[in-house]
Amino acid sequence: MWDYDTPAAPNLIDITVAGTLIKAVAQVTKQAFVYVFDRATGRPVWPIEEQPVPASSVPGDSAWKTQPFPTKPAPIDMQGLRDEDLIDLTPEIHKEAMDIVANYDHGPLFTPPSLRGTILVPGIAGGGNWSGAAVDPETGMLYVGTHRVPFVISVRKPRLGESSYDFVGEFRYLPGPRGLPLLKPPFGSLVAIDMNSGEHRWRIPVGRGELIPAISQLGITKRLGFPGRSWALVTKTVLIVVQSGYFSTPRLQPGGTRRIADLNNFDPHLWVYDKTSGEMLAEIPLPANAAGAPITYIAGGKQYIAFPVGGGPLLEELIAVAL
C-alpha cells in the first residue's frame, strides 16, 4: 500500500462558548470535518451525531451503518459528490465532467469503495491534511487550508499470489476534462472559523489555478486557488500562508515495489493576509513551493518567517523571509 498522506495534528485552543471558558482541542480531518472537544473531559463542545451512511455494494462486504457528524463547525469543504459540484467554467466543460463521473459510482460522504470504483470527495489527501491548521490564541480563530483533489477508490479480486484476502483495494487521482480539475473552484482555499461560535467567517482562494494552461486559454483571470496543500501561520497582526506544488503521476522505483511521485513547482509564493478580513496584503515570490509549515522568530530586532521548500527532484532549502 502506498502511504499517500497522514492526518493533521490536533490544535489546542482556549475558547469561550455561550459565556463559558473551555480549554478545547480541535481536530481537523481529511473528511473536511473539525471535531472540537473539551480537552480536560473529552466531551464534545458541540454535539456529534451518528448519521446513517451508504451501504457497500461489494458482495460479502458489510460497511458500518453510521458515522459521526459534528454539528459545528460546518464542513470546511465539499463532502460527497453532486453534479453541481463539478467544474463549470463553461457549459461544455461541465458536460464533459459529468461524462467522466458517469463512469464511476458516487454519492454522499462515506460512500464505500466499489468494484466499479467510487469517487471519493474529499480525496485521499483531504480536505484537511497533515499541513494542519493555525490557531490565534487572542481571538479564538482557527485557520485551515483545504484542497479539492478527488480520487477513485475501488476493490478487486486479487491476482494469483497477490493476496489471501477476498478483495484488495486501489486508489488513484481522478482528473477532470481537458487537463482541468474535476471539481469547481476554489481548487485550494483557506477557511477562517470563529471557534467561540463554531461559525465560518470567510474563505479565500490560495494559489493561482487560473495559471493552469487549460484555464488560462479560456481567458479567466479571477483567482481560483490551486489544488495543493497550504500551511498557515498567524501572528499578532497578519496571516502568513505558503503552498506546496503538485505531484507527478506515481511511478515504481527501478528494481523496487514502492511507488513514488515527484514534486513539481507551480507559481511558488508566500502570501500575507489580513487575519480579520482575509484581504491579501502582499505576495512574495519564492524559489520553490513550500514543503512544510512556516515558523516565526526574532533576531537582531527583526522578525523572520522560515520554512522548507523543494523536495524530491527539486533543490531542498530552508529559507527565511524578513517581515
Side-chain angles (χ1 to χ4, degrees), residues 15 17 36 44-48 70-73 194-199:
I15 55 179
V17 179
V36 189
V45 172
W46 293 284
I48 297 175
T71 54
K72 278 189 175 184
D194 183 347
M195 298 300 288
N196 299 294
S197 65
E199 300 295 332

Side-chain angles (χ1 to χ4, degrees), residues 6-19:
T6 53
N11 299 271
L12 305 183
I13 181 171
D14 295 349
I15 55 179
T16 301
V17 179

Side-chain angles (χ1 to χ4, degrees), residues 67-323:
Q67 291 291 337
F69 287 71
T71 54
K72 278 189 175 184
I76 60 173
D77 217 321
M78 294 177 178
Q79 293 181 321
L81 184 65
R82 306 167 300 170
D83 288 345
E84 55 263 40
D85 297 327
L86 300 176
I87 191 167
D88 57 358
L89 300 180
T90 68
E92 293 78 15
I93 288 174
H94 184 70
K95 174 60 168 58
E96 292 170 25
M98 291 180 64
D99 291 342
I100 292 173
V101 168
N103 294 309
Y104 306 98
D105 297 323
H106 64 281
L109 185 65
F110 297 117
T111 298
S114 66
L115 295 170
R116 186 175 180 229
T118 299
I119 300 176
L120 184 68
V121 177
I124 296 295
N129 195 268
W130 64 268
S131 49
V135 166
D136 189 338
E138 295 182 345
T139 63
M141 296 292 294
L142 181 139
Y143 303 92
V144 56
T146 178
H147 56 315
R148 296 176 178 174
V149 184
F151 274 67
V152 171
I153 51 174
S154 59
V155 295
R156 60 171 173 79
K157 290 285 187 180
R159 303 180 184 96
L160 183 64
E162 182 179 18
S163 173
S164 60
Y165 293 107
D166 292 335
F167 296 96
V168 294
E170 294 180 328
F171 61 86
R172 63 179 177 83
Y173 167 64
L174 183 62
R178 309 184 192 183
L180 296 164
L182 181 65
L183 304 175
K184 65 170 54 174
F187 307 126
S189 57
L190 191 78
V191 181
I193 305 173
D194 183 347
M195 298 300 288
N196 299 294
S197 65
E199 300 295 332
H200 291 201
R201 292 300 176 218
W202 46 258
R203 177 190 298 272
I204 55 173
V206 176
R208 296 192 282 196
E210 64 275 14
L211 298 182
I212 296 172
I215 296 178
S216 63
Q217 293 172 6
L218 299 173
I220 295 173
T221 58
K222 177 184 176 182
R223 189 159 296 221
L224 301 179
F226 183 73
R229 72 172 62 88
S230 56
W231 292 267
L233 170 69
V234 63
T235 73
K236 284 183 174 293
T237 54
V238 296
L239 188 65
I240 309 292
V241 180
V242 291
Q243 189 176 45
S244 68
Y246 66 96
F247 287 102
S248 60
T249 302
R251 57 182 172 81
L252 287 175
Q253 287 181 310
T257 58
R258 180 173 174 81
R259 291 192 293 171
I260 61 173
D262 292 326
L263 276 171
N264 296 271
N265 278 328
F266 186 88
D267 190 39
H269 279 80
L270 177 148
W271 293 282
V272 183
Y273 298 97
D274 183 302
K275 68 178 186 179
T276 301
S277 66
E279 176 188 0
M280 182 183 292
L281 303 176
E283 52 182 344
I284 302 169
L286 299 175
N289 285 105
I295 63 168
T296 185
Y297 62 94
I298 293 178
K302 184 176 292 187
Q303 185 174 7
Y304 296 87
I305 306 294
F307 52 94
V309 300
L314 305 175
L315 178 65
E316 294 175 319
E317 297 179 290
L318 184 65
I319 65 173
V321 177
L323 293 183

